[in-house]
Amino acid sequence: MANDKPNKPQDESRRRFLKYSGTALGGVVLGGVIGGLVGSNLNNNAEEKTPAPEGKQPAADNKDYNQALMFFNQDQFLTAEAAAERLFPADDLGPGAKELGVAFFMDHQMDSQYGYNARDYMLPPYYKSEETQGYQLIFKRRELIALGLDAMNQYSNTKYKKPFVEIAPEEQDAVLTAFEKNDIGIKDVPASNFFAMFLNLTLEGAYSDPLYGGNRNMAGWKMRNFPGNQMSYTEYIDKEEFVKLEPLSLHDHLELG
């Protein structure tokens, strides 16, 4: 039978290496000072932890992980945020587009099937369309929005020597008006097409379900006394007076259900 004693020095050497050089956690080796501290404290972590006193528990993580970019680059996002705020500004009635997270809504829509025109026929031949036929451009929506935001910055830099986010509010309004009135072109696309879509996305982002990235904290609905996505109205439908309900998101039904 083989003797186990010769293996002990090797095992002890390995233990010392893990203890002082780093600790393997989940397949990742933490080296240097942090790894050494973790390794040397693995055996007594439980004894050293002191539970928080009652009433002083750690604050809950209130981060909104839905507020993350999926399509825009940083410049496009900041331009969209600033432009949407001029179209839907904060006032004494409530928050504006920036606080409502409208630019995040736009970003998420552009990375969805809507942004890819997934349900639209986009192949040639192309014919001149009527205004009543809706979206008829060869560009996908995400391409048009990206081109439009880049063109806004280019136009702003040309006229005011600054990007859109750095010019004065009245100058931002002038840029938006130029796009609305087709005073400039975007790669042979009428600038008004971009402006109309951007305006629609701004309003949709202000009043959509927060699940889609906008209408943060349902503040857009609260401004309108809109009840959101309630499960039922049977107990209110016969009432003569207006019943103000606390709005509910689609996400609330997941928690309630």
Side-chain angles (χ1 to χ4, degrees):
M1 181 179 293
N3 193 340
D4 293 335
K5 289 184 179 180
N7 293 331
K8 288 185 178 180
Q10 183 178 359
D11 293 341
E12 291 173 1
S13 176
R14 181 174 180 275
R15 291 193 189 97
R16 283 197 300 272
F17 172 79
L18 291 174
K19 180 177 180 180
Y20 296 113
S21 299
T23 304
L25 297 176
V28 178
V29 175
L30 303 179
V33 177
I34 296 177
L37 290 174
V38 173
S40 62
N41 287 295
L42 278 179
N43 295 328
N44 55 8
N45 262 352
E47 291 80 8
E48 291 181 0
K49 287 183 179 178
T50 304
E54 291 187 12
K56 294 185 178 181
Q57 296 297 326
D61 190 349
N62 291 321
K63 292 181 180 178
D64 186 351
Y65 292 99
N66 202 26
Q67 307 293 300
L69 295 184
M70 299 179 179
F71 170 69
F72 288 150
N73 61 39
Q74 191 69 16
D75 288 338
Q76 290 168 344
F77 171 77
L78 293 175
T79 302
E81 191 174 58
E85 182 68 18
R86 297 309 301 160
L87 297 175
F88 197 98
D91 56 21
D92 56 351
L93 296 177
K98 181 176 181 178
E99 188 175 344
L100 289 170
V102 165
F104 284 109
F105 168 83
M106 293 183 186
D107 172 77
H108 294 186
Q109 288 298 299
M110 293 305 103
D111 199 51
S112 70
Q113 289 190 344
Y114 174 80
Y116 281 97
N117 293 68
R119 298 186 179 184
D120 299 337
Y121 184 83
M122 300 289 292
L123 300 177
Y126 303 114
Y127 300 100
K128 182 175 176 57
S129 62
E130 301 295 333
E131 292 185 1
T132 55
Q133 290 182 293
Y135 190 88
Q136 295 290 321
L137 299 179
I138 61 174
F139 290 107
K140 294 181 174 66
R141 294 184 183 92
R142 68 201 317 259
E143 294 170 341
L144 177 61
I145 290 296
L147 286 171
L149 292 172
D150 292 342
M152 285 176 62
N153 264 324
Q154 183 178 358
Y155 181 78
S156 177
N157 278 314
T158 299
K159 188 168 184 178
Y160 301 106
K161 311 305 179 186
K162 293 180 181 178
F164 184 84
V165 296
E166 295 181 12
I167 60 179
E170 59 272 14
E171 294 171 337
Q172 291 178 337
D173 292 345
V175 173
L176 290 167
T177 300
F179 277 71
E180 181 183 19
K181 293 184 175 181
N182 268 334
D183 290 343
I184 62 171
I186 309 175
K187 290 192 175 182
D188 299 325
V189 177
S192 60
N193 286 39
F194 160 76
F195 179 85
M197 180 178 294
F198 188 86
L199 176 60
N200 285 338
L201 287 168
T202 299
L203 296 176
E204 290 169 6
Y207 297 119
S208 66
D209 193 289
L211 196 66
Y212 300 104
N215 189 15
R216 186 180 292 143
N217 298 323
M218 294 179 280
W221 288 348
K222 292 174 183 177
M223 283 191 287
R224 298 283 184 174
N225 288 324
F226 181 68
N229 294 292
Q230 300 287 330
M231 291 287 285
S232 172
Y233 296 94
T234 53
E235 56 185 302
Y236 312 109
I237 197 168
D238 292 329
K239 293 185 180 294
E240 295 290 337
E241 71 279 5
F242 175 77
V243 179
K244 185 176 180 179
L245 301 174
E246 188 69 19
L248 292 177
S249 164
L250 291 169
H251 184 269
D252 294 324
H253 299 314
L254 295 176
E255 294 180 342
L256 294 173

